[in-house]
Amino acid sequence: DQGRDILSALMYGARISLAVGIASVVLSVLIGVTLGLVAGFFGGWVDTFLMRVCDVMLSFPAILVALLIAGVGRALFPHSPDTLAFGVLILSITLTGWVQYARTVRGSTLVERNKEYVQAARVTGVAPLSIMRRHVLPNVLGPVLVLATIQVATAIITEATLSFLGVGVPPT
């Protein structure tokens, strides 16, 4: 009625939330997939240690950990510019989100490492890192992509909650 474009106003208002959500999910995927591949492929004490760290991280609610990290970051840098607040917010959401990727990738890697094509690559003398990168990683990315799309929405909700509580990035 007043000649305003609702789509452009919606896109303008969502840019901060989408940037924080996508950046935190990308970092969570990088950390979680790397640690999950290493834990699942090598096993042993590496797997045990990384999965106990995941268990500890999962024992705390993600919003409380994000609130703690963002609050400490805000307290350490009280008069910081918004770019630092973006970094603290992305870091806090990343540190609570990587665990799901690590556990998902570890489970898929445990299945994939015992398949015939991985055993054939191992017998022919291919290095373990090359096997993980060329053979195992492409086959475990399916569940990761599904989890990442869901995690973007969760990260946006966490960012909005932290902003509402006055800890996150102030709304523009």
Side-chain angles (χ1 to χ4, degrees), residues 8 14 41 105 108 124-125 150:
S8 63
F41 194 79
V105 170
S108 297
T124 59
I150 296 169

Side-chain angles (χ1 to χ4, degrees), residues 120-157:
R122 198 176 280 155
V123 167
T124 59
V126 178
L129 291 176
S130 182
I131 293 173
M132 285 192 311
R133 184 178 48 85
R134 295 176 68 207
H135 298 289
V136 178
L137 180 62
N139 291 311
V140 300
L141 283 183
V144 170
L145 293 176
V146 172
L147 187 59
T149 56
I150 296 169
Q151 193 73 21
V152 169
T154 305
I156 290 173
I157 291 171

Side-chain angles (χ1 to χ4, degrees), residues 31-41 51 101-103 105-106 109:
I31 294 169
V33 167
T34 302
L35 293 178
L37 271 173
V38 168
F41 194 79
M51 289 305 106
Y101 298 104
R103 292 184 69 91
V105 170
R106 175 192 173 264
T109 302

Side-chain angles (χ1 to χ4, degrees), residues 57-133:
M57 291 293 295
L58 285 173
S59 68
F60 298 106
I63 189 71
L64 290 180
V65 175
L67 187 63
L68 174 72
I69 294 169
V72 168
R74 215 27 124 154
L76 290 176
F77 307 108
H79 302 292
S80 64
D82 285 343
T83 55
L84 187 61
F86 278 124
V88 169
L89 192 58
I90 290 169
L91 179 71
S92 66
I93 296 171
T94 298
L95 290 179
T96 60
W98 68 269
V99 177
Q100 295 173 351
Y101 298 104
R103 292 184 69 91
T104 302
V105 170
R106 175 192 173 264
S108 297
T109 302
L110 288 173
V111 171
E112 293 294 323
R113 77 175 182 176
N114 294 324
K115 291 195 173 173
E116 291 83 13
Y117 64 91
V118 174
Q119 297 298 332
R122 198 176 280 155
V123 167
T124 59
V126 178
L129 291 176
S130 182
I131 293 173
M132 285 192 311
R133 184 178 48 85

Side-chain angles (χ1 to χ4, degrees), residues 16-17 20 63 67 70 74 85-86 89 93 155-172:
I16 292 174
S17 295
V20 169
I63 189 71
L67 187 63
R74 215 27 124 154
F86 278 124
L89 192 58
I93 296 171
I156 290 173
I157 291 171
T158 304
E159 183 267 335
T161 304
L162 292 175
S163 294
F164 178 73
L165 295 174
V167 180
V169 178
T172 56

